[in-house]
Structures are given as structure tokens and as C-alpha cells.
């Protein structure tokens, strides 16, 4: 088990390095984030004890379950799942430094209220739906600037950039288009010079498409399967949950 994880990490780091070389980028510009949904604390520990520093969960419940086991090992925790408003109080208990999946004003408002009350701040990325699939979360690219302007008024939310889950497709060029949309949006937002908004992070690229994402400017790649192996739940269990509930299915 340990050997597999270490071997896979080596492969991923090589893939990142090669992609950076191809794109003429410095590998230090790209952070590897481990997407740890369904992965046991024990296995996550192996990665953290061997040089990894950044992990992320999709569900507050999993964050909570693994928190005690992992807290002694220095690392940074992000959140990459769909966040329900009623889970805000919980998520703030578990040392999450960045919520990458902020995609609506109502959630930002509630987060701000809770953070104000606790006299603290949190980093956020704005999740954008670049694949135009109804099943995915994230703000429409067309509406993102307006949303970011509004969120930027909440002093407790430190906007650091954008996140997207690209299209799942074997057609690299279609996937690339999603990443280009995110990059273009970043450039537009730079031009807007919105106070309190930093736009340096682009979180995009996963096990199957991290090379394309790096070529298009990713600063964070989020990798799960290629390090920890296949998951038993399909990804839409994590990504569509809220929408499935809303439809009453
Ligand atoms: C699971 C997940 C990943 C990682 O996906 P893999 O294909 O397993 O690398 C990345 N981002 C998000 C939001 C995820 O939920």
C-alpha cells in the first residue's frame, strides 16, 4: 500500500515536471493538491509523511472523520466539494484554509457572517462552470465577474483565484477549451482591478488532464485516482448531490 502511493506520487510529480517543461514553466509554479475523498486517514498520512503538504475533501463529513488522525502532521487543507449553507459552521471547525468551491452569493454572505462572528478570514477560489454542463456546479463564466465584485465586498473572504472541473472527455482539445475559458476569465478580472481581489491561482486539472491544464496555466492541480487508486463511488455522487436532491430523486 505504502509503496503504491509513493510510486504513484513519483509518477505524478514527473508528469507535472514534464508538462511544465513542455509549457516552458517553472514546476514551482504548480502545486499538487491531493483530492482525498473516500481515502482513509491512514493512506493520506503516507502521502503527508512523504513530502506532500496540500490535501482537500469534498464533504464536511469526511473532513470531520479524518481530522483527529491527521492534525498532528503539518499540512494545508482545502475544500473542493459543493458546500451547503447549513454546513458552514462545521467546516470552520476543521482548519480549512481555502474553500475552492465558492460559487454563489448566498453562500458567500453566510460564510462572511460566520467568519465575522469568529473574527477570522478565509481564502476562497470562485468555482466556474466552464463545461456548460448542467450537472456541474460553478458560476457561469458570463456571470463570474459580477459575482466576484459582490463577494469582494465581504472583508472576511480573500479571493485568490478561480477553480474549475473541466469537461470529462477523451478529446483533449475540448477539455483544453474549458481551461482556456478559465484563463481568459482570469485575464479579464485582472483588467477589472477589483479591490480585495487577487487572481493568481488557477485550480484546474485532475488525474486525466493535468498536462493540458498546466499548459493552459494551472497553478494548482487536484489529483485523486492517479495517486490513491479508483474510488467506489462515481464522481457524480460528489458533484451532483445537491442537484439530485433538489430534483427529489
Ligand atoms: C475527485 C476530485 C478531483 C480529483 O479527481 P481524480 O480524477 O481522481 O484525479 C479533483 N477535483 C475535484 C473537485 C474532485 O472532486
Amino acid at each position: 500500500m505504502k509503496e503504491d502511493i509513493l510510486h504513484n506520487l513519483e509518477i505524478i510529480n514527473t508528469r507535472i515536471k514534464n508538462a511544465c517543461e513542455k509549457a516552458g514553466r517553472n514546476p514551482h509554479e504548480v502545486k499538487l493538491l491531493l483530492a482525498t475523498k473516500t481515502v482513509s486517514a491512514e493512506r493520506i498520512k503516507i502521502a503527508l509523511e512523504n513530502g506532500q503538504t496540500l490535501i482537500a475533501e469534498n464533504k464536511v463529513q469526511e473532513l470531520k472523520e479524518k481530522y483527529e488522525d491527521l492534525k498532528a502532521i503539518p499540512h494545508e487543507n482545502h475544500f473542493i466539494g459543493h458546500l451547503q449553507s447549513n454546513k458552514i459552521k462545521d467546516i470552520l471547525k476543521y482548519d480549512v484554509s481555502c474553500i475552492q468551491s465558492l460559487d454563489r452569493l448566498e453562500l458567500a454572505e453566510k460564510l462572511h457572517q460566520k467568519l465575522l462572528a469568529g473574527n477570522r478570514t478565509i481564502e476562497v477560489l470562485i468555482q466556474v462552470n466552464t463545461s456548460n454542463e448542467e450537472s456541474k456546479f460553478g458560476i457561469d463564466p458570463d456571470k463570474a465577474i459580477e459575482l466576484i465584485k459582490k463577494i469582494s465586498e465581504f472583508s472576511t473572504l480573500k479571493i485568490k483565484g478561480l477553480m474549475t472541473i473541466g469537461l470529462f472527455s477523451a478529446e483533449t482539445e475540448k477539455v483544453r477549451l474549458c481551461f482556456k475559458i478559465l484563463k481568459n476569465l482570469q485575464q479579464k478580472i485582472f483588467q477589472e482591478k477589483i479591490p480585495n481581489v487577487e487572481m493568481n491561482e488557477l485550480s484546474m486539472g485532475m488525474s486525466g488532464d493535468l498536462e493540458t491544464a498546466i499548459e493552459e496555466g494551472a497553478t494548482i492541480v487536484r489529483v485523486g485516482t492517479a495517486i490513491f487508486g479508483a474510488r467506489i463511488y462515481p464522481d457524480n455522487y460528489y458533484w451532483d448531490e445537491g442537484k439530485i436532491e433538489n430534483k427529489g430523486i
Side-chain angles (χ1 to χ4, degrees):
M1 176 171 94
K2 181 175 173 181
E3 285 69 31
D4 286 344
I5 292 173
L6 297 189
H7 178 64
N8 291 342
L9 276 169
E10 227 176 273
I11 294 174
I12 287 296
N13 280 318
T14 306
R15 282 176 61 187
I16 292 173
K17 193 169 142 268
N18 289 345
C20 285
E21 243 164 54
K22 189 176 165 201
R25 299 183 58 194
N26 183 335
H28 295 298
E29 290 172 23
V30 182
K31 290 185 275 286
L32 171 58
L33 174 151
L34 310 186
T36 51
K37 55 179 178 270
T38 76
V39 181
S40 68
E42 189 191 358
R43 303 178 72 220
I44 298 170
K45 257 188 203 170
I46 294 172
L48 293 179
E49 283 164 351
N50 287 278
Q52 295 307 304
T53 57
L54 178 57
I55 62 174
E57 290 291 347
N58 288 65
K59 286 184 183 289
V60 177
Q61 183 60 30
E62 280 193 57
L63 188 64
K64 181 178 170 183
E65 282 164 11
K66 302 171 200 176
Y67 180 73
E68 285 298 324
D69 284 339
L70 297 179
K71 76 174 183 196
I73 312 172
H75 67 278
E76 193 180 342
N77 230 332
H78 287 193
F79 191 78
I80 56 175
H82 178 64
L83 184 57
Q84 282 154 339
S85 303
N86 61 3
K87 297 282 164 65
I88 290 175
K89 214 168 81 198
D90 285 336
I91 199 175
L92 295 178
K93 291 180 196 161
Y94 302 110
D95 291 339
V96 170
S97 64
C98 179
I99 296 174
Q100 296 202 0
S101 44
L102 186 54
D103 63 355
R104 56 201 196 279
L105 189 62
E106 174 238 353
L107 179 64
E109 253 164 0
K110 289 187 175 157
L111 257 174
H112 177 61
Q113 292 308 328
K114 284 276 185 297
L115 288 160
L116 264 187
N119 196 21
R120 53 177 286 204
T121 64
I122 200 164
E123 295 185 352
V124 297
L125 304 184
I126 306 302
Q127 182 173 356
V128 182
N129 183 346
T130 55
S131 59
N132 199 19
E133 291 166 288
E134 226 213 294
S135 63
K136 289 203 180 128
F137 292 106
I139 183 84
D140 277 2
D142 290 347
K143 296 181 187 143
I145 294 183
E146 196 190 327
L147 176 67
I148 289 170
K149 282 182 177 163
K150 287 185 179 145
I151 294 179
S152 72
E153 290 174 14
F154 298 128
S155 57
T156 59
L157 302 179
K158 307 294 177 192
I159 303 177
K160 296 290 178 184
L162 306 173
M163 184 272 256
T164 199
I165 300 170
L167 187 72
F168 281 120
S169 167
E171 294 178 63
T172 305
E173 293 317 304
K174 285 191 182 162
V175 179
R176 186 184 302 281
L177 219 57
C178 297
F179 299 149
K180 278 193 190 296
I181 289 172
L182 205 69
K183 178 79 188 178
N184 285 340
L185 188 56
Q186 178 198 40
Q187 298 304 312
K188 274 195 206 151
I189 296 165
F190 274 138
Q191 285 165 14
E192 295 271 336
K193 296 196 169 55
I194 308 165
N196 294 324
V197 173
E198 285 176 35
M199 258 301 127
N200 295 320
E201 302 290 355
L202 286 182
S203 176
M204 56 190 196
M206 320 196 323
S207 290
D209 54 21
L210 68 91
E211 283 85 357
T212 312
I214 288 172
E215 283 166 29
E216 297 305 326
T219 64
I220 301 173
V221 291
R222 310 179 308 266
V223 181
T225 320
I227 293 168
F228 298 110
R231 292 178 291 268
I232 51 167
Y233 298 109
D235 281 337
N236 61 10
Y237 173 75
Y238 284 88
W239 293 339
D240 301 353
E241 178 197 36
K243 298 192 176 184
I244 291 165
E245 276 169 11
N246 289 343
K247 285 179 191 143
I249 295 167

